[in-house]
């Protein structure tokens, strides 16, 4: 069988047809706050409660999460699209001037998020140019608001049919 692999640009475009939520994973390590935008978040297990997300190989946030062993997941609400860009760009002090609360373990929780989870790193797996971080969920809260949705390179909201 002669199987060719898909061109990375084509793969990105095709996968863009799958709408996803948007979240910011964050942690505190050695007195510094780290955070990154993700859309690769998925639940894995209910017994125990586990989730996974992916970070770019070499991500400083991913490295801080692996070193700390704890992280928060802040699922963004439809009113927080500007935070997605803020935590994707090269801005050094991403948390400056943001309303941030902290969990009992000192994990950053972005106020106004649609949901927040606190997790412990269970395993990290290398996959191509990314790391898959598997986390056991320790706690979670949700708010009443519509989630931020990412589709074909743009942000939108969710509307019930």
């Amino acid at each position: 069988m002669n199987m060719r692999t898909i061109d990375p640009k084509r793969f990105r475009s095709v996968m863009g047809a799958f709408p996803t939520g948007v979240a910011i994973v964050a942690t505190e390590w050695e007195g510094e706050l780290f955070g990154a935008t993700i859309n690769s978040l998925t639940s894995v297990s209910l017994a125990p409660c586990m989730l996974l997300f992916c970070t770019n190989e070499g991500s400083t946030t991913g490295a801080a999460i692996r070193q700390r062993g704890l992280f928060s997941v802040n699922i963004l609400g439809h009113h927080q699209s500007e935070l997605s860009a803020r935590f994707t760009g090269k801005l050094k002090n991403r948390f400056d001037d943001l309303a941030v609360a902290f969990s009992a373990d000192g994990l950053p929780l972005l106020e106004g998020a649609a949901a927040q989870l606190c997790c412990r790193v269970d395993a990290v797996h290398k996959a191509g140019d990314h790391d898959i971080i598997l986390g056991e969920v320790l706690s979670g809260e949700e708010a009443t608001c519509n989630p931020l949705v990412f589709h074909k390179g743009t942000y939108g909201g969710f509307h019930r049919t």
Side-chain angles (χ1 to χ4, degrees):
M1 182 188 305
N2 185 11
M3 295 290 293
R4 295 184 359 209
T5 59
I6 192 169
D7 174 75
K9 288 181 182 178
R10 182 73 186 135
F11 179 61
R12 184 178 191 150
S13 178
V14 171
M15 288 304 296
F18 183 63
T20 66
V22 183
I24 294 172
V25 292
T27 197
E28 178 278 330
W29 176 246
E30 295 185 341
E32 188 175 349
L33 296 179
F34 295 85
T37 300
I38 61 162
N39 68 346
S40 59
L41 181 67
T42 190
S43 59
V44 174
S45 171
L46 292 176
C49 294
M50 300 183 93
L51 57 76
L52 70 75
F53 69 95
C54 301
T55 60
N56 288 328
E57 182 180 58
S59 160
T60 56
T61 298
I65 287 171
R66 288 190 308 275
Q67 291 168 328
R68 172 82 192 272
L70 296 172
F71 62 94
S72 63
V73 177
N74 299 272
I75 299 172
L76 300 184
H78 69 282
H79 59 286
Q80 295 178 303
S81 60
E82 75 287 348
L83 290 181
S84 177
R86 180 181 190 138
F87 282 84
T88 301
K90 299 292 183 193
L91 183 64
K92 173 86 170 122
N93 301 316
R94 295 175 172 178
F95 289 88
D96 284 358
D97 303 320
L98 289 182
V100 180
F102 291 89
S103 72
D105 291 317
L107 297 174
L109 302 170
L110 299 175
E111 293 185 10
Q116 303 161 327
L117 301 119
C118 293
C119 306
R120 176 184 311 115
V121 174
D122 182 76
V124 179
H125 302 281
K126 178 128 182 66
D129 61 358
H130 278 64
D131 290 324
I132 301 168
I133 300 178
L134 183 65
E136 182 177 358
V137 180
L138 306 174
S139 65
E141 298 294 329
E142 59 188 305
T144 303
C145 74
N146 284 327
L148 181 61
V149 176
F150 188 71
H151 178 255
K152 284 290 188 183
T154 61
Y155 297 106
F158 173 78
H159 301 286
R160 296 188 189 280
T161 55

